[in-house]
Amino acid sequence: MQTLSVTERYNKLFSELEDCDEDEQKEKIEKMNEVMDEMHEEELESVVTAEVFNGIYTMIEEKKLTLENSFLLLKHVGSSNALKSMSVYGFGNSSLGERFEEMIVEEEKKKEKRNEKLLIDLCECYLMLKDKFLFNLLSICVSCLLEVGLNKGEKEGDGNEVETSLLTLSSVGMLTKIPEELYLSEIKGIIQHHQDHHNLTPLAYQSAWQFLVNRLFLNGVLEKVMTDELHFVKKAKREMEEQSKCVDWKRKEEERGGKGVKEGIVLRRWLFTLFDFFFSCHLWDDEYSELVCCIVRVFLSAKDNHRKYSMRCIDLLKAASEKRAVKIGGLLKGGADDAVLEGIQQPTMDYEMAYDCLRFFMNVCDRLKSKDDEAGEAKGKGLKRKVVEKMEEEGYEDAITSFHEMIPFLNDEFCCELSLSIDDYFVNI
């Protein structure tokens, strides 16, 4: 008998929902959620479509599916997408998405008589499954879910609720503008309370930071708040060190059961958070090199057996090298050049990592040649000397030269420009 694929199993369970009573539906949805945990991103995208959301809407309208059971299914779809850093597009164009928007407004208008749990469930589904938001709905949802976070998870059972609400907020992307008065005091309170009392789960704490870092892109003033008041660098470094201990670095990725494994999910999310932070930061503090050190340590731990982690680290270092606010001295102090040099000489390196490594060194050399990039001629010469010495010691020149004929292919593959001149990957004192 032929074994069904994960998408076939999921679709089969979904097709059986309308013929079950409420308890049977709940059991099937729990099985669907388990199957969803086994899916790769492409498989998940294939089953999370506007057609599926419209089918859920029809079942709810025809009383064949309860709202409670629909939330059980939809929130797992949303959290799976948030944890895998994906985007769902079908919900916004579905009848279900439109109905949930109406219900949020209707429930909010009830004020003191509103059903708080219903509103929270609706807001979590809306923010996790929608990619663009109406401002009035966004403000309702953000205020509602921050209020859940402010409960601080001190009551028994609150921890999961707070985690889900903060995970939901973290999915609101950096291009979504939210006025400070809607969130800043509350998210600061949530983060500071955890720093004093350690009441949040690691995922909830990371999600609170991700929500705040996402706001940094459109509001550079937040950087001082994050670093001076909330001590982002120190706390992010500590969290990454703790989460690194949760990964079995000696075990190869293909031996880990692959798809459904949650091992290290918070660490992966911290790497995304740092990417967004470096992308959006406007200031530079030498202390930031400690974050670079963390990234380098994760790369060195991951390079032999965990390709996704190592690629993500190199991509992050490449992105940091492109940001003028991230000083070259800080990158070198943190060991970024060592990591990227080791990356470009990895026997298992693929084209994407080759591109990122070459781009990193091209950026570094270009900036070291620039008179206005680093302060002080003497300091600039010192940095150049360090790079040149590294080239000589570690076989950098041979490594870069060996990729020279591949550069036109990499440019076509990634639609970005690497210099065709080999001289742009070297710097002279």
Side-chain angles (χ1 to χ4, degrees):
M1 184 175 177
Q2 189 173 7
T3 304
L4 295 177
S5 68
V6 284
T7 55
E8 289 170 333
R9 284 157 55 201
Y10 187 89
N11 290 330
K12 182 176 183 296
L13 288 165
F14 182 77
S15 68
E16 296 169 350
L17 283 180
E18 60 182 337
D19 298 321
C20 303
D21 62 30
E22 186 174 345
D23 290 337
E24 290 173 326
Q25 275 182 353
K26 187 174 181 180
E27 289 178 8
K28 285 192 180 293
I29 288 171
E30 288 172 348
K31 288 180 182 177
M32 289 173 69
N33 291 344
E34 290 174 4
V35 172
M36 191 182 301
D37 288 340
E38 299 177 29
M39 292 182 181
H40 289 304
E41 286 84 348
E42 296 81 6
E43 294 165 332
L44 189 55
E45 286 176 350
S46 72
V47 299
V48 180
T49 62
E51 183 181 2
V52 167
F53 292 124
N54 285 328
I56 293 172
Y57 170 78
T58 300
M59 283 191 282
I60 292 172
E61 290 295 298
E62 295 177 353
K63 311 295 185 188
K64 294 179 179 178
L65 178 67
T66 65
L67 261 179
E68 288 75 14
N69 279 343
S70 74
F71 291 144
L72 183 64
L73 175 59
L74 292 168
K75 287 206 273 188
H76 198 80
V77 172
S79 63
S80 294
N81 280 273
L83 292 173
K84 294 176 182 179
S85 301
M86 295 173 56
S87 295
V88 177
Y89 297 107
F91 181 77
N93 300 319
S94 69
S95 301
L96 183 66
E98 293 175 3
R99 180 61 187 132
F100 276 17
E101 288 180 348
E102 294 170 359
M103 292 176 70
I104 290 170
V105 174
E106 290 167 2
E107 205 59 41
E108 172 66 13
K109 285 180 179 177
K110 295 177 183 177
K111 301 299 179 185
E112 293 82 8
K113 295 182 179 180
R114 70 188 184 189
N115 183 330
E116 293 291 345
K117 186 179 185 310
L118 174 60
L119 184 60
I120 291 167
D121 288 336
L122 289 167
C123 288
E124 288 175 347
C125 290
Y126 177 72
L127 290 189
M128 279 201 281
L129 299 175
K130 197 109 171 5
D131 59 321
K132 294 181 181 178
F133 312 101
L134 298 172
F135 177 74
N136 65 319
L137 288 166
L138 179 66
S139 60
I140 292 170
C141 292
V142 168
S143 298
C144 174
L145 298 185
L146 282 172
E147 191 174 329
V148 176
L150 283 167
N151 285 333
K152 315 262 188 331
E154 290 171 351
K155 297 178 185 174
E156 187 151 353
D158 278 354
N160 289 337
E161 294 176 13
V162 172
E163 181 179 274
T164 302
S165 291
L166 292 175
L167 177 63
T168 300
L169 287 168
S170 75
S171 67
V172 180
M174 58 172 59
L175 295 178
T176 302
K177 185 171 178 57
I178 307 175
E180 267 187 37
E181 58 270 20
L182 280 180
Y183 70 87
L184 187 54
S185 175
E186 289 79 3
I187 199 69
K188 279 175 60 179
I190 290 168
I191 290 172
Q192 287 172 330
H193 189 86
H194 172 78
Q195 290 174 351
D196 292 336
H197 301 284
H198 306 288
N199 59 295
L200 299 177
T201 65
L203 176 58
Y205 185 52
Q206 184 279 327
S207 296
W209 272 117
Q210 183 66 59
F211 172 76
L212 192 53
V213 169
N214 285 347
R215 312 283 69 78
L216 178 61
F217 180 68
L218 296 176
N219 185 357
V221 176
L222 285 177
E223 191 172 347
K224 293 291 284 182
V225 174
M226 291 170 56
T227 55
D228 294 352
E229 296 182 41
L230 299 176
H231 315 292
F232 174 74
V233 173
K234 179 181 177 182
K235 302 302 180 182
K237 177 176 176 289
R238 179 184 179 279
E239 290 297 310
M240 287 184 64
E241 288 170 348
E242 287 299 311
Q243 293 307 313
S244 291
K245 298 173 185 175
C246 299
V247 182
D248 184 354
W249 297 114
K250 294 182 180 179
R251 202 160 138 206
K252 294 184 180 294
E253 267 179 333
E254 58 268 24
E255 296 174 354
R256 294 164 53 232
K259 309 176 189 176
V261 177
K262 292 183 178 179
E263 177 190 89
I265 188 67
V266 180
L267 177 60
R268 288 197 294 275
R269 283 174 60 84
W270 270 111
L271 292 174
F272 279 102
T273 301
L274 292 189
F275 184 96
D276 294 337
F277 176 76
F278 284 137
F279 180 78
S280 300
C281 71
H282 299 77
L283 310 172
W284 178 258
D285 188 304
D286 287 339
E287 193 180 39
Y288 291 5
S289 61
E290 294 181 18
L291 294 181
V292 176
C293 281
C294 278
I295 299 163
V296 169
R297 282 196 290 270
V298 173
F299 169 77
L300 294 175
S301 297
K303 64 184 177 67
D304 293 329
N305 298 322
H306 293 254
R307 179 176 166 274
K308 288 183 179 179
Y309 277 104
S310 59
M311 287 184 64
R312 185 64 193 164
C313 291
I314 296 298
D315 182 48
L316 211 175
L317 295 174
K318 180 264 295 182
S321 74
E322 294 173 347
K323 184 73 175 176
R324 293 279 166 169
V326 179
K327 298 302 181 186
I328 295 297
L331 284 173
L332 299 181
K333 181 180 177 183
D337 54 328
D338 295 302
V340 179
L341 186 57
E342 187 154 349
I344 205 168
Q345 298 183 86
Q346 283 284 100
T348 57
M349 182 187 59
D350 62 6
Y351 292 134
E352 185 176 351
M353 185 177 283
Y355 167 79
D356 286 343
C357 291
L358 288 168
R359 185 80 189 187
F360 172 89
F361 284 116
M362 189 183 80
N363 292 337
V364 169
C365 292
D366 178 61
R367 290 175 60 184
L368 286 175
K369 293 173 184 177
S370 172
K371 294 180 180 178
D372 59 356
D373 194 83
E374 299 285 352
E377 187 177 344
K379 182 177 180 182
K381 284 187 176 181
L383 290 173
K384 290 177 185 180
R385 186 172 290 107
K386 178 175 173 58
V387 172
V388 170
E389 288 173 354
K390 186 65 63 178
M391 290 176 185
E392 294 174 350
E393 291 171 8
E394 304 293 341
Y396 171 87
E397 185 170 350
D398 290 340
I400 296 296
T401 303
S402 68
F403 284 97
H404 188 225
E405 292 184 4
M406 192 189 295
I407 289 174
F409 167 78
L410 294 175
N411 279 336
D412 291 341
E413 183 78 6
F414 296 101
C415 303
C416 292
E417 295 217 356
L418 287 167
S419 174
L420 297 177
S421 172
I422 196 68
D423 290 337
D424 288 334
Y425 300 90
F426 301 101
V427 59
N428 296 316
I429 299 177

